[in-house]
Amino acid sequence: MLTPLTVAVAVAALALAAWCGFAAYRDQPTKDRHFAGMALVTLLALVQLVVGVVQLARGGEPDGGTVVFVSYLLGVAACVPAVGFVSLAERTRWGSATVAAGAVVMAVLQVRLYDVWGGGHG
Amino acid sequence: MADGPARPPSPRTPAPGGGLGRGPGRLLVTLYAVFAVGATSRSAYQLSTRFHEAPLAYSLSAVAAAVYVVITVALIRGGEGARRVGLVCCAAELVGVLTVGTWTVLDPDAFPDATVWSGYGMGYLLLPLVLPVVGLLWLRRPHDGPDPVRSSPA
C-alpha cells in the first residue's frame, strides 16, 4: 500500500522518537514544539488511514485480512495522540520518554502494516 | 490505544502507597497498555476466527494477553495490593516468555503461528523479555510516601 507513504510515516515517527528521546535525555518534559511535531506525525497517520480505506474501497485485498489491516491503521493513528496525553499528565523527562516509546511503536507498526498489506504490491 | 490512566495525577499529593504509575512508571504503564491492547485484540481475533489452525499458540497468546491486562491495571491502580499482584504477574510473564521462547526454539513444529512470546519476543523488539525484568525492578522498590524520582526539574 503506497510504500513511499509507509516509509514516510515510519521515518517521521522515528524522527519524533529521537527528538523526544533527546528531550528525555536532557531531563526535559514535552514542550509546545514537541506537540506540534506530534500533530504533524498524527496528520501523516490520518492520511495513511484515509489512503488505506480508499484502497480497500477500490477492491484492494490485504494478505493479512481486512479486519487486521484496518485495526493496524487505527492503531497507528491512535499511537501518538495517546502518548501525547500521557505526557501532558507527566510533566517530567518520563513524559518525553513515553512519547519516544510510542513513536517507536508506531514505526514498528509500519513494518507490520507493510506485511499485512502483502509486501507492497498494489 | 494506550490512553492516560484513569486516576488524574496530582504531583503535590502523592496517593498513599501509590506512585506505581508515575515517573518512570508512566513509561512502563504505557508500554504495558500497548501490549495489553495489542495482545488482547489480536488473540480475540485469532481465537474467534482461526483457533483450529494453531490452538496451542493462540491459547498461549490469550494467556499472555491476560497477564498484560492485569499488570497494566495493577500499575494504574497502585497501592500495596496492586504492587504485589504486579510482582506476581511480572514474574509469571518472565517465566512465560522464557518457557515459551525456549519451547519455540526447541520444537518449532508445535507453533504453526507465532505468539507474543515466541523466540523470547523477538518479533516485538525483545520487549516481552525486557518489560517483566524492568517491571520487577520497578515494583520491588518501596512506593510508599512521596516518590523520590519526582524531584527532576520541569
Side-chain angles (χ1 to χ4, degrees), chain A residues 45-71:
Chain A
L46 289 175
V47 169
Q48 187 180 42
L49 176 64
V50 171
V51 169
V53 170
V54 167
Q55 296 268 8
L56 287 177
R58 290 167 67 191
E61 196 72 41
D63 278 6
T66 304
V67 178
V68 176
F69 181 64
V70 172
S71 56

Side-chain angles (χ1 to χ4, degrees), chain A residues 1-66:
Chain A
M1 177 200 79
L2 279 180
T3 307
L5 182 58
T6 310
V7 172
V9 176
V11 169
L14 286 177
L16 181 68
W19 193 18
C20 291
F22 183 61
Y25 173 73
R26 301 213 348 205
D27 207 358
Q28 289 172 345
T30 46
K31 304 207 167 105
D32 282 355
R33 55 178 189 273
H34 295 116
F35 283 98
M38 288 182 231
L40 191 66
V41 173
T42 306
L43 189 66
L44 270 178
L46 289 175
V47 169
Q48 187 180 42
L49 176 64
V50 171
V51 169
V53 170
V54 167
Q55 296 268 8
L56 287 177
R58 290 167 67 191
E61 196 72 41
D63 278 6
T66 304

